[in-house]
Amino acid sequence: MTERGETETVQRLATVPADCAGKRLDQVVHGLWPEFSRGRLQKWIKSGDLTLDDVPAAPKAKVRVGQRLVLRAQLAPEQDWSAQALPLDICYEDDDILVINKPAGLVVHPAPGHTDHTLVNALVHHSSRLSHLPRAGIVHRIDKDTTGLLVVAKTLQAHTQLVEAMQARQIKREYFALVWGPVTGSATVDKPIGRHPHHRTKMAVVGSGKKAVTHYQIERRFAQQTLLRVQLETGRTHQIRVHLAHVGLPIVGDPVYGGRQRIPSGDNAALNACFETFARQALHAAKLELAHPITGQPLCFEAPLPEDFQMLLRVMSEHESQR
């Protein structure tokens, strides 16, 4: 096991096969060693860690059949992340991936204002080798106060394959969202998302944004709210929160996109108190489906709603039964 702060040696040896004659060096080695991204291989070529016939070459150099390819590089920690013994709810783990059920309040990645006590800090404590991977192996994020499932790569090969699968929209993610307002039926929101033109810390539906597609179906109707089952086709920042607010269905408890705090009409003290104390967006990443990045085996994971979300729904259900 590589200890925190140490380097890990990567070594590969190959010869240029007949069907690669005349191709670019970076293209050839990416085909031979797909566990590494093309960008990382180009970096190693430029640094001289990956040689052609034992001498440095340019990434665009044309290769000949039988030339010797040698990779000998050091994987150092990506950043100086501190390992912190934070609790992790691990749903699944093998030699290649981890699946985490993230609680509310846990920031995924260090950033200004949240430099430690993040999921990254917990991951590098769990396995020091994760410090050698981009973002400690994290392939996708969920917001600080959103709960639920995340997949984490444990090796470079798994990371490369998962990133490609995410970009190809082959990883399916399903959420539960409790929203304000009645919903008439299933729908798709296909609106581009980018930075808010006036509030740079927020996202918004803007014409210059990146393509974003969200699907939703009704899971359960309440008097003034609706529980939705939501599927992400793309993965933009705050996508579900922005899209649902855009169509007039803000998520309960959302402090950024939910608008003015609402309290259900009526005199049910228990229900009103429950909404007043639910201090985060009612959004949970409940289901994750993917092919294992190494074996190709189909995997499906589900995480139950956290207790605070379940409590809110129980109180709402009791209120409905008394109507």
Side-chain angles (χ1 to χ4, degrees), residues 17 27-28 38 43 52 89 128 138 148 151 159 174 189 191 204 207 227 232 248 255 282 297 305 321:
Q27 180 184 2
V28 171
R38 189 162 180 170
K43 180 180 177 181
L52 183 64
D89 184 358
S128 61
I138 294 171
V151 61
H159 186 268
E174 188 170 272
V189 185
K191 296 288 184 181
L227 182 64
L232 279 177
Q297 176 187 358
L305 288 170
S321 66

Side-chain angles (χ1 to χ4, degrees), residues 284-310:
H284 175 68
K287 189 173 182 180
L288 180 67
E289 293 183 76
L290 67 153
H292 192 281
I294 306 304
T295 68
Q297 176 187 358
L299 300 173
C300 181
F301 305 98
E302 296 189 51
L305 288 170
E307 179 56 36
D308 62 344
F309 205 146
Q310 291 187 44

